[in-house]
Structures are given as structure tokens and as C-alpha cells.
Amino acid sequence: AERRAMAALQRSVVAPAGRHTASLIFLHGSGDTGQGARTWIKQILNQDMTFQHIKVIYPTAPARPYTPMKGALSTVWFDRYKISNDCPEHTETIDSMCHGLTDLINDEIKSGITKNRILVGGFSMGGGMAMHLAYRFHRDVAGVFALSSFLNKESAVYQALNRNEGDLPELFQCHGTADDLVLYSWGEETNKMLKSLGVPTSFHTFPSLYHELSRTEIEKLKTWIMKKLPIEVEKTN
């Protein structure tokens, strides 16, 4: 029943200031919404995260029963048995959402954006979701970012990368040392594991940052986004 046909994901979109040649998909943390993530970033930067040529898409996860909240409905990308890196993944719900997010990627491709001009990433659970989406199903995206995120020890992502052939998208990872929800060590371990499996990674440590976003971090992320999705020079004949 998990592979039910999903309605298109609701999304909040920040249009590019100029000609649209690339897209960025930002996945919110558990219990948040696309609009919520966008507003949070807007509060930190005192303005939307905007680019000349990149469309920024903040989708919202459909509400579903969430085990860590005793089965209460929550806007989460997938279910978890518990919030720990030491338990099995809820692969059924992860895979189901990968199909829904693939539809979102395909919408961008239909509008003329090539796959290598699409970035995926997110905060907390959103970053975990992005790693599954990119490293298991969409290895031809421009890159992946994960802020305060982790993968479980026996993650399906690691298993998929064990059979890896070819190039993998670069991972930009950030984590606060004071994070008491998703431990810094979980993020660090995820990064080391992915690096050992051939993923080009960078890992940015933010001293005394809790489970949150900071301005320095978002500015650093923006610089990396521009490096991965540079403005394309218009071809003139």
C-alpha cells in the first residue's frame, strides 16, 4: 500500500531573478513545511535565498503517521523506528518518497533544466532524504547538501554505493557541535562513511551550534551552490 500513487507535492517556490537555467530542491526537517523552511532561511538572511538563474523549490512532505511521535500525523519525508543511527531504516517509506521526489525532479527536467543543473539537499531529515534520493536514484544531479543530518549505520545508501560505478555527486555537509537531537558524531560518521565509499565530500563544523541553521552556514552553502551551478553564459551565434 506504500507505493500508492502520490499527489504532486505542495511546494513554495522562489523564482530566479533572471533567466532560469538551474534548480535547487530544499527539503525541510521533520514536522516542518516547505513554506516554514523558506521563512526560516528568510529570517536568518533578512531576505529570501535568491539567485540570478536558480529556481529554489521548497516542497512539503505529506502528513503521515510518525512512530517517534507515537504514530501521530507529522509532515515527515519517511518514518523512523526511532531517532537513532543504530536501528534499521524504514526503507518502505523512504523508497515511496523517493518516487514522489523523482516526480518533482522530472517536472524541472520537463521545463528544460538538465539533471546536472539540479541540486538536492535539506535540513535534518530533509538532508537524509536528499542523500537517499541522489546516491541511490539520481547520481547525475549537480550535488547534494545535508545540514544537521545523518544516515543510519546500515543505510541502504551505503549498500548502494558499495556497488558503485562512475562519478558521484559532491556532498556538502554541515553540523553543529552542540546538536543534541542529531548528534555531531552521527553527522561526522556519515561523512566518513560516504567518503570511504567514494563520495567527494566536504564537512563543515559549527562550534556551539544546536539543531538549527546559522547565517554563516547558509552563506557558505550559497557559495557552494554558486560553484556547483554557475551562471551559464548565453550562447550567441
Side-chain angles (χ1 to χ4, degrees):
E2 213 32 78
R3 277 277 337 248
R4 60 190 182 277
M6 296 207 315
L9 296 168
Q10 281 185 308
R11 56 199 90 165
S12 179
V13 176
V14 182
R19 194 171 69 95
H20 177 209
T21 66
S23 295
L24 169 76
I25 297 169
F26 189 107
L27 305 177
H28 62 73
S30 57
D32 201 358
T33 61
Q35 186 60 54
R38 176 183 174 174
T39 304
W40 191 17
I41 289 174
K42 200 173 179 172
Q43 283 164 349
I44 294 169
L45 297 176
N46 293 318
Q47 58 175 36
D48 265 316
M49 181 167 72
T50 49
F51 300 91
Q52 191 58 34
H53 59 301
I54 307 167
K55 173 188 187 181
V56 185
I57 306 162
Y58 297 96
T60 295
R64 60 159 307 114
Y66 188 45
T67 304
M69 284 171 50
K70 299 186 166 54
L73 289 183
S74 186
T75 49
V76 289
W77 297 109
F78 49 86
D79 199 6
R80 283 189 171 129
Y81 295 106
K82 53 177 193 269
I83 299 172
S84 161
N85 70 342
D86 210 6
C87 65
E89 286 176 323
H90 206 292
T91 38
E92 200 183 0
T93 57
I94 292 171
D95 292 358
S96 157
M97 189 50 67
C98 282
H99 292 293
L101 288 165
T102 293
D103 290 344
L104 186 64
I105 290 173
N106 287 338
D107 282 349
E108 291 312 292
I109 294 167
K110 281 185 200 111
S111 75
I113 304 302
T114 52
K115 198 88 163 282
N116 64 355
R117 297 283 291 167
I118 298 173
L119 272 179
V120 297
F123 174 73
S124 192
M125 177 188 260
M129 186 74 235
M131 291 188 275
H132 275 273
L133 187 65
Y135 295 117
R136 292 176 57 211
F137 301 101
H138 299 283
R139 291 184 179 172
D140 42 359
V141 292
V144 187
F145 61 92
L147 316 173
S148 314
S149 306
F150 74 102
L151 290 170
N152 293 25
K153 286 188 195 295
E154 306 289 318
S155 179
V157 173
Y158 302 149
Q159 290 161 37
L161 290 172
N162 260 327
R163 309 184 289 275
N164 169 46
E165 284 86 46
D167 291 337
L168 295 165
E170 184 188 330
L171 173 69
F172 176 93
Q173 209 179 332
C174 296
H175 218 110
T177 57
D179 195 327
D180 49 3
L181 184 69
V182 174
L183 303 186
Y184 176 79
S185 60
W186 300 356
E188 200 178 29
E189 199 177 297
T190 299
N191 191 275
K192 285 195 176 112
M193 190 70 186
L194 290 170
K195 190 170 257 174
S196 75
L197 291 166
V199 175
T201 70
S202 60
F203 188 76
H204 306 272
T205 298
F206 292 84
S208 70
L209 184 71
Y210 287 90
H211 194 64
E212 58 190 344
L213 295 170
S214 80
R215 183 165 186 143
T216 326
E217 179 186 23
I218 294 171
E219 294 295 359
K220 208 170 246 195
L221 173 64
K222 281 187 77 171
T223 304
W224 180 79
I225 290 167
M226 287 298 294
K227 193 181 86 189
K228 289 279 134 195
L229 300 175
I231 291 184
E232 287 180 332
V233 180
E234 286 226 47
K235 294 166 192 70
T236 50
N237 335 350

